[in-house]
Amino acid sequence: TVIALENDDTVRILRPGYVTKEMLEEIVPQVTLDPAILHQLKEGQTVRSPGMKYQHYSPQAHVILVEGEWQNFAAYAEQNKADGVYALVFDGEETRLSLPCLTYGASGQEQAQQIFSKLRELDDRGAHKVYVRAPKPEGIGLAVYNRLIRAAGFEVIQV
């Protein structure tokens, strides 16, 4: 977690990580999220921390972050399956899809530990396109979401 001290009573999270917003709120009166955590920077905008500006942690495949309930994600992935298309889903969901899948944990901590190795594994498998089931951007899930949105080049689909 990278933070900036804004004034006497405000902490701005620049890059979310293991220390969550909720943890900081227990000890600091005001905690804010930098807009660059969830949104692409505008042209010419100055970054306040490494890793805020560019696409990072992306496999060679075209990554698309998909937000929504499981049944909507599954329907979307199934409608768009083709050769070289994979899904990156939560543990236990892989058996409910007919397209090739990798899993990256059931929740926050596991997902944070596995996300980068799973993105590299997609390269090893020759994936051309990957639909990633988005975690909820809260708690440590915010850090995972932040890394995934960058891997997807900010391409997010709501289903």
Side-chain angles (χ1 to χ4, degrees):
T1 303
V2 178
I3 62 168
L5 303 174
E6 297 284 298
N7 55 43
D8 289 341
D9 61 356
T10 302
V11 168
R12 179 181 294 264
I13 298 176
L14 303 176
R15 289 205 65 199
Y18 182 77
V19 176
T20 66
K21 180 178 188 277
E22 294 80 5
M23 290 174 177
L24 289 170
E25 287 172 334
E26 292 179 15
I27 57 172
V28 180
Q30 175 97 13
V31 180
T32 62
L33 298 177
D34 194 276
I37 290 172
L38 299 173
H39 306 284
Q40 197 165 12
L41 291 173
K42 294 179 175 87
E43 187 66 34
Q45 189 174 356
T46 304
V47 297
R48 298 183 64 188
S49 174
M52 291 178 73
K53 188 171 187 176
Y54 303 107
Q55 183 172 337
H56 288 284
Y57 314 118
S58 184
Q60 294 174 5
H62 176 190
V63 175
I64 300 168
L65 193 57
V66 182
E67 293 181 341
E69 296 300 320
W70 164 253
Q71 62 274 13
N72 298 336
F73 173 89
Y76 184 84
E78 291 289 349
Q79 289 170 0
N80 290 283
K81 70 180 178 181
D83 289 340
V85 174
Y86 281 73
L88 185 58
V89 297
F90 306 155
D91 287 0
E93 296 174 340
E94 71 279 9
T95 61
R96 302 183 327 201
L97 291 174
S98 66
L99 67 156
C101 296
L102 291 179
T103 64
Y104 72 110
S107 62
Q109 184 68 33
E110 294 172 338
Q111 293 169 344
Q113 292 172 338
Q114 295 182 36
I115 190 61
F116 301 126
S117 64
K118 297 301 179 167
L119 291 173
R120 285 190 295 277
E121 188 176 339
L122 288 162
D123 279 341
D124 293 343
R125 292 185 180 214
H128 298 292
K129 184 180 280 187
V130 180
Y131 295 110
V132 180
R133 181 135 143 74
K136 292 197 183 310
E138 54 194 41
I140 199 160
L142 178 63
V144 176
Y145 186 96
N146 172 259
R147 288 0 176 241
L148 286 170
I149 201 170
R150 281 176 163 63
F154 292 89
E155 186 174 352
V156 180
I157 295 172
Q158 305 280 334
V159 294

